[in-house]
Amino acid sequence: MKVKIPADKSLTHRAFIFAGMAEGESTIQTPLLGEDCLSTLKVLQQLGCESTTDGNGTVTVLSPGYAQWKSPAQPLDCGNSGTTARLLLGPLAAIPGLRCPVMGDASLSRRPMRRLTDLLGACGAAIQHESEGDGLPLFIQGKTLSPINCDIPISSAQMKSAMILAALCTPGYHSVRTPKGSRDHTEKFIQFLGLDIKTELTITKNIIYETACINNDKKWGGFSVDIPSDPSSAAFFAPLALFHPKVPLIECENVLSNPTRTGFFDTLIDSGAPIEVVEETLRNSPESVVHYRIHAFDGSRSLNPFHIGPDKVPTLIDEIPILALCAAFANGTSTISGITELRHKESDRLSQTVRLLSAAGIKILASHDELVIHGPTARLGVFEFDTQNDHRLAMCAAILEKLVGSPCNVTNRNCVDISFPKFYETLEGVFT
């Protein structure tokens, strides 16, 4: 069964942002038109960019260039998208004369922003928190920043990308250092555009660091790009082929194969899952792609338990709920540690994962930064669960319901539109 997986969310955000910062017309083929990415597009429109979407879903962005962005008439509304808010804080802070209130919905407003605004502030940014917490709303007074030479203490692609985007709007030579392992889509896109960026590796006290070195010596014009399918979305269908008796095979084509995003599939393969990986080519993309063929276990084998440490977590951070569900079928106890960041997603995703799987009879425990899942689970039971509008948990709950084999009471299901607008239609298609 071939499953049509939507375009990658992280890469779509970046394609829209780079198109909005370019001078001229850009074409983004097969982007993800989910709620989060549309928030990015709407913010760019507020800043003076124009965009259209044709009948095939291709988005065209016409921009005057980031230096000509205008102060918005209304606060920039990032909706529920942390990627929109965090990535755009960098360039907004670095464009002289720009005055931007930035807001989000209630969920996004609770998510931490101060650790990023402090980094930008150290480079001269003028960002004011409008509430007592460390989240949104914010007010940004754009100005020319000093050269950006910063150390980010955690492996955060969003913080790293925000600082790199700020550097692209700031004259001179810049360096942004993070612990190794965070997603490098921003760096790859900059290379795709032909701009000057390189990454250097260093080791300090047995920790490997990556330093993105940016020489901001030119602007860029419009471009055309194809967006591959999202490995995080593809991951949610894997348990159906592996563990559902009526689904012997799932195939997913043109899936992004960036090593910083393949941790879910790598973990399952290393644990004995019958998954084939075939390299493919996507014509006009900054990223490589693969075709996954996920088979059922043949009855003589089962999934081996796995142990994921903090160094690998960035490669599968969005897939942890569905990976924990897979662990419930493993022949032994699995652990995933170094996942405190899950408490700051659309929900407290760490606690919510425990609630969801426990409700179905899976033995799972959580500490402040670790999940312990005891398998194999003898029998799954009918459950009730409120997704708290967390799209990853809603998808996980839907897959778990299929594995239970009976209807379950799951509320706030439609939040899947954030990353997978036709998820339920696609899921039902697997069984028809």
Side-chain angles (χ1 to χ4, degrees):
M1 174 69 190
K2 287 188 177 180
V3 176
K4 184 173 177 56
I5 302 299
D8 186 71
K9 185 157 77 84
S10 295
L11 206 54
T12 298
H13 277 297
R14 286 159 174 81
F16 287 166
I17 290 171
F18 279 109
M21 295 176 69
E23 293 181 350
E25 184 176 281
S26 299
T27 303
I28 300 94
Q29 305 277 358
T30 63
L32 174 66
L33 298 180
E35 292 178 1
D36 272 13
C37 294
L38 290 176
S39 290
T40 292
L41 205 55
K42 291 174 184 176
V43 166
L44 292 169
Q45 291 168 349
Q46 287 184 266
L47 293 167
C49 302
E50 298 176 11
S51 66
T52 57
T53 305
D54 69 15
N56 296 318
T58 297
V59 172
T60 300
V61 176
L62 180 62
S63 172
Y66 66 81
Q68 302 302 316
W69 282 358
K70 63 182 182 181
S71 300
Q74 300 293 328
L76 300 177
D77 187 356
C78 301
N80 189 242
S81 176
T83 304
T84 303
R86 292 196 179 103
L87 264 61
L88 282 171
L89 284 184
L92 292 175
I95 299 172
L98 206 61
R99 295 172 60 86
C100 294
V102 181
M103 60 175 287
D105 67 11
S107 172
L108 179 57
S109 296
R110 292 191 296 267
R111 297 173 68 178
M113 299 287 169
R114 192 173 297 277
R115 57 191 181 185
L116 174 56
T117 60
D118 284 349
L119 280 173
L120 288 165
C123 300
I127 304 176
Q128 180 180 347
H129 286 260
E130 301 281 273
S131 65
E132 294 182 359
D134 68 350
L136 301 179
L138 302 171
F139 183 82
I140 302 173
Q141 173 66 63
K143 55 189 296 189
T144 300
L145 302 183
S146 58
I148 294 170
N149 298 289
C150 66
D151 282 337
I152 300 174
I154 61 174
S155 187
S156 168
Q158 290 184 354
M159 293 176 67
K160 175 179 67 173
S161 295
M163 301 307 293
I164 290 174
L165 292 173
L168 290 178
C169 302
T170 304
Y173 182 85
H174 314 273
S175 65
V176 179
R177 191 176 84 150
T178 57
K180 187 178 184 299
S182 63
R183 298 176 182 183
D184 60 355
H185 301 312
T186 300
E187 298 95 308
K188 285 183 178 294
F189 216 111
I190 291 172
Q191 292 170 341
F192 175 74
L193 294 172
L195 303 178
D196 188 355
I197 186 171
K198 59 183 178 180
T199 301
E200 299 175 350
L201 296 180
T202 56
I203 301 177
T204 303
K205 296 181 179 179
N206 296 322
I207 298 175
I208 302 176
Y209 290 92
E210 296 175 319
T211 301
C213 304
I214 307 103
N215 184 14
N216 183 11
D217 59 352
K218 64 178 179 179
K219 295 181 173 64
W220 62 95
F223 57 86
S224 177
V225 65
D226 294 339
I227 308 297
S229 297
D230 194 327
S232 298
S233 294
F236 285 85
F237 288 86
L240 295 178
L242 295 174
F243 309 120
H244 197 291
K246 295 183 179 180
V247 185
L249 175 67
I250 292 286
E251 295 189 70
C252 305
E253 298 178 322
N254 284 332
V255 180
L256 176 72
S257 64
N258 186 306
T260 67
R261 297 288 301 285
T262 59
F264 172 85
F265 287 103
D266 293 344
T267 296
L268 291 184
I269 292 169
D270 291 344
S271 299
I275 300 175
E276 296 179 71
V277 184
V278 181
E279 291 186 4
E280 295 184 323
T281 300
L282 193 59
R283 178 181 57 85
N284 188 32
S285 174
E287 305 273 3
S288 58
V289 296
V290 296
H291 181 161
Y292 286 116
R293 295 192 182 101
I294 309 160
H295 299 269
F297 281 101
D298 61 11
S300 63
R301 296 182 299 162
S302 61
L303 189 69
N304 297 319
F306 50 80
H307 305 283
I308 304 298
D311 57 330
K312 193 171 183 179
V313 163
T315 70
L316 45 75
I317 187 69
D318 288 332
E319 297 90 325
I320 285 175
I322 201 68
L323 183 60
L325 174 55
C326 291
F329 292 86
N331 188 26
T333 298
S334 299
T335 59
I336 311 172
S337 61
I339 52 177
T340 305
E341 192 67 19
L342 283 186
R343 296 194 183 277
H344 306 292
K345 296 292 185 178
E346 288 83 343
S347 68
D348 179 346
R349 195 174 287 171
L350 180 55
S351 297
Q352 281 285 87
T353 298
V354 173
R355 291 191 188 101
L356 171 59
L357 301 189
S358 296
I362 294 167
K363 190 175 180 182
I364 178 171
L365 302 171
S367 66
H368 71 287
D369 73 340
E370 182 179 60
L371 282 174
V372 179
I373 310 101
H374 297 281
T377 302
R379 182 177 180 275
L380 296 173
V382 174
F383 62 90
E384 295 184 1
F385 182 68
D386 181 354
T387 71
Q388 296 185 8
N389 290 313
D390 188 317
H391 59 122
R392 303 294 183 192
L393 289 164
M395 287 191 283
C396 188
I399 299 301
L400 179 55
E401 183 179 38
K402 290 297 185 184
L403 294 171
V404 168
S406 299
C408 299
N409 183 14
V410 180
T411 55
N412 294 313
R413 289 173 175 258
N414 290 336
C415 56
V416 297
D417 289 348
I418 289 172
S419 59
F420 202 145
K422 294 185 178 180
F423 174 75
Y424 294 113
E425 177 184 330
T426 304
L427 177 58
E428 292 307 316
V430 172
F431 295 91
T432 58

